[in-house]
Every structure is written in C-alpha cells, then in structure tokens.
Amino acid sequence: GAVVSQHPSRVICKSGTSVKIECRSLDFQATTMFWYRQFPKQSLMLMATSNEGSKATYEQGVEKDKFLINHASLTLSTLTVTSAHPEDSSFYICSAGTGGAFYSPLHFGNGTRLTVT
Amino acid sequence: AQTVTQSQPEMSVQEAETVTLSCTYDTSENNYYLFWYKQPPSRQMILVIRQEAYKQQNATENRFSVNFQKAAKSFSLKISDSQLGDTAMYFCAFMMGGTSGSRLTFGEGTQLTVNP
C-alpha cells in the first residue's frame, strides 16, 4: 500500500538553530502535501498546504517565515523550522494525497517529535 | 469555516463490548466527506472509516460502523466486539468535496481505552 516516509522521527536542537523535516511519498506521486502540528493530548492542527511546484498556503496564525515549506518534487516536501524556540517543541505530521480527495485517501507519515532546548 | 466537535475526551470499554464515540460538525456545505481516524500510541494516523455526505447508507468496515445523521450534523462511530488493540485516540475529521484538495479539519479527539 501507499507509504509516506517522514524523517527524522525525533530531533533535539538548541534554541536559535534550524531544523528540516522531510516527507516523502514512496510509491505514489503526491500533488498535495499537508503539514500538521500536534501538541500533547491535542488534535492535529493544519499548518500549511503545499502543492508541487508552487508556494505553500499557510493557515491563519502560522508564520510563513518561520515554517518554511518546499515541495520541489512530486515525492518530497520539506518543512524547515527556522530559529527554533522552546515553544516550537511539538509533534509534526505530514500527509500526502494525489488530489482526488475521497477516493485517494490521505496517507500520513509517522511524525517527527521536535524538542527545542 | 467548518468545525468538528468531539464532546467525549475519554472513554473506556470492556473487551468484547460495544462502544460509541460521538462527533458533531458544522458546515454550510452540502458536498463533503467525513472520516474517523485512529491514532495509537505509535502516533501513526490510521484511517478507520469514511462516509460521503450524499450517501444515506451508513458506512461499515468490519467491526466499525457509523451513524450518519446529516440533518443533525452528527457522525458517531460504533465499535463492536472491542479489542485491546482498539485502544487509541480517535479523531473525527471533515473534508470538503470538490476541488478543495483533501484538506482535513479534525475534532479534538477521544481517548478510548479497552480494558481486559
């Protein structure tokens, strides 16, 4: 079945540094990828939608200069947390779809736990 | 904007029993889809069941079934013959139809614990 690989699964970084998280669709072409953030015992909050070859669309309240998203190919999207601070510590999850919505169910990565010290 | 509400933060059930998780949503759209996702301790999101809004028949997937009440904007999940492996966080989710591009809006989640 379709697989989305997210890397790394865990990362610890110092405050002020940048961290890149990768999301790859392994056996299908993902025209759209979504990035979510999940705090402990809370729901998934959509941060941004990225479409291959175009700029990402950010949700209200998400700083586009802080959370840089690149979707350079149909199999790879990256989220870079720039100048990370402790409040950016969270669980980040990507999902990928082929744009067909209901009949092309979204596939989720295993998530990345980011800890900023 | 669409909203999804799960009013039960936690629920528990005995193994082999039946449990129902509640979900309500608010939308002015007529073309949309509804989903239940399961997130076990591994944090992997797993699709449990899905429903098209234009279909009156309730979706069923083995031990999982939904009670979709469109007029009431209610979408509950029934788990029959509960198993220990069903222990997880369950999220109800909404997706607009058409060319919205598979954007999901999630509810707050219900932590389900199946007791032996």
Side-chain angles (χ1 to χ4, degrees), chain B residues 40-80:
Chain B
S42 67
R43 306 295 290 270
Q44 176 69 49
M45 294 291 286
I46 302 167
L47 177 64
V48 175
I49 198 166
R50 52 191 174 180
Q51 174 84 40
E52 296 151 292
Y54 69 85
K55 284 191 175 179
Q56 292 185 335
Q57 185 173 6
N58 290 323
T60 299
E61 288 286 342
N62 300 315
R63 298 184 294 108
F64 299 88
S65 61
V66 299
N67 183 1
F68 174 47
Q69 301 290 325
K70 190 173 184 179
K73 296 180 181 175
S74 170
F75 183 61
S76 61
L77 173 69
K78 185 171 81 171
I79 305 174
S80 304

Side-chain angles (χ1 to χ4, degrees), chain A residues 3-114:
Chain A
V3 176
V4 172
S5 174
Q6 188 172 340
H7 179 81
S9 58
R10 292 175 182 266
V11 58
I12 300 173
C13 71
K14 291 187 176 181
S15 185
T17 62
S18 295
V19 174
K20 180 184 285 188
I21 302 170
E22 292 187 348
C23 181
R24 293 182 183 273
S25 57
L26 297 185
D27 55 0
F28 67 100
Q29 293 184 328
T31 54
T32 306
M33 289 187 173
F34 301 86
W35 288 95
Y36 294 86
R37 184 173 181 175
Q38 185 180 29
F39 289 108
K41 298 187 183 299
Q42 294 189 22
S43 187
L44 283 74
M45 299 301 296
L46 181 65
M47 298 174 66
T49 302
S50 72
N51 294 295
E52 185 266 338
S54 63
K55 290 184 178 180
T57 303
Y58 290 82
E59 295 299 301
Q60 191 172 8
V62 177
E63 299 175 59
K64 62 179 67 176
D65 293 332
K66 181 171 189 60
F67 298 100
L68 300 179
I69 291 173
N70 184 280
H71 194 159
S73 76
L74 285 171
T75 59
L76 174 65
S77 176
T78 59
L79 167 67
T80 301
V81 183
T82 63
S83 186
H85 291 286
E87 56 266 31
D88 298 324
S89 297
S90 188
F91 192 70
Y92 294 86
I93 307 176
C94 70
S95 69
T98 57
F102 187 80
Y103 291 103
S104 299
L106 292 171
H107 307 284
F108 287 82
N110 286 338
T112 297
R113 182 178 301 282
L114 170 64

